[in-house]
Amino acid sequence: MNEIKTLTMKDIARELGVSVATVSRALKNSPRISEERRKLIQDYAREHRFTPNFIAESLRHSRLKPMKVIGVIIPEFVHYYFSTVLRGIEEEASAHGYRVMVAQSGERYEREVQLCQSFYENKVCGIIVSQAKDTQRYDHFQHLIDMGVPLVFYDRISTGVNASRVVVDDYMGAFHAVSYLIETGCRRIAYFGSP
């Protein structure tokens, strides 16, 4: 199956006989170009369902401040746990001037590999990931680390990669919960058993 070629600003510029900078300005509604030319470019973009990638453009032009983006990979959106984690990530990231780009692996290793590659290509500042259930190989994570991309595991962690981890001590949590129940249960028995 052939891939559909994605239309770029360069393609629009070539088709309409204008510069890429003019296309960019028209799509941003800049007053620096005539209304007639702006309308021509915007109509062409709309007709061809073109959506500009201003993140990519900002990375190409050093005079523009690049957007600070953190990639987050979750196994599935349907679990309340992950929506809670995402809320915390987004709040903290936003407080420090970062945006969050979220994707789900669907618990599939192949999808997880694609997402890591996509985040890398989009120059994210770092990646936070809860790995898919069927992940057995960790080359994609190691590649990110080798390329200098900060990586943090949460919930499900990879022991095959030397990266930061955020984990909960389930054993101690269970121990304290059972201890509390036994202690309060014993008190209730003693209370109800007294005359």
Side-chain angles (χ1 to χ4, degrees):
M1 186 174 178
N2 293 333
E3 281 189 21
I4 298 170
K5 186 179 182 300
T6 305
L7 188 69
T8 66
M9 285 192 202
K10 194 181 280 188
D11 296 329
I12 297 173
R14 186 173 45 249
E15 187 65 31
L16 299 179
V18 297
S19 70
V20 175
T22 300
V23 172
S24 177
R25 288 185 188 114
L27 295 174
K28 292 178 185 173
N29 252 346
S30 170
R32 294 175 62 189
I33 60 171
S34 71
E35 187 177 335
E36 182 184 334
R37 184 163 283 185
R38 190 165 58 234
K39 184 176 181 332
L40 173 74
I41 293 167
Q42 289 175 353
D43 288 348
Y44 184 90
R46 196 170 17 261
E47 181 185 334
H48 291 84
R49 295 186 179 153
F50 173 76
T51 305
N53 184 344
F54 290 120
I55 295 175
E57 186 183 357
S58 72
L59 291 171
R60 278 195 298 274
H61 303 291
S62 58
R63 71 180 187 280
L64 296 174
K65 186 177 178 184
M67 204 179 290
K68 299 188 299 184
V69 178
I70 296 171
V72 180
I73 300 174
I74 65 170
E76 293 181 312
F77 282 111
V78 295
H79 299 292
Y80 176 75
Y81 169 76
F82 292 115
S83 63
T84 305
V85 169
L86 284 173
R87 180 178 174 190
I89 290 171
E90 200 283 325
E91 284 178 4
E92 188 65 14
S94 180
H96 290 86
Y98 287 81
R99 296 191 184 200
V100 176
M101 187 182 299
V102 183
Q104 66 177 340
S105 67
E107 298 286 16
R108 296 190 329 270
Y109 165 78
E110 296 80 12
R111 176 74 178 139
E112 184 178 86
V113 172
Q114 291 170 351
L115 292 173
C116 285
Q117 183 63 28
S118 176
F119 280 158
Y120 174 72
E121 289 170 357
N122 282 286
K123 310 285 190 233
V124 295
C125 301
I127 298 175
I128 300 172
V129 60
S130 176
Q131 70 184 39
K133 278 183 184 172
D134 69 350
T135 298
Q136 308 260 329
R137 292 175 31 216
Y138 311 107
D139 306 3
H140 54 302
F141 295 136
Q142 190 59 55
H143 173 70
L144 292 170
I145 293 167
D146 293 345
M147 299 308 289
V149 179
L151 183 67
V152 177
F153 289 102
Y154 72 100
D155 185 43
R156 296 186 198 139
I157 61 168
S158 167
T159 54
V161 178
N162 185 17
S164 298
R165 299 172 175 90
V166 177
V167 293
V168 175
D169 188 338
D170 292 328
Y171 175 84
M172 284 308 293
F175 177 84
H176 288 302
V178 172
S179 297
Y180 173 79
L181 289 174
I182 290 170
E183 184 180 319
T184 56
C186 289
R187 283 187 193 151
R188 286 186 182 148
I189 290 167
Y191 176 78
F192 288 119
S194 341

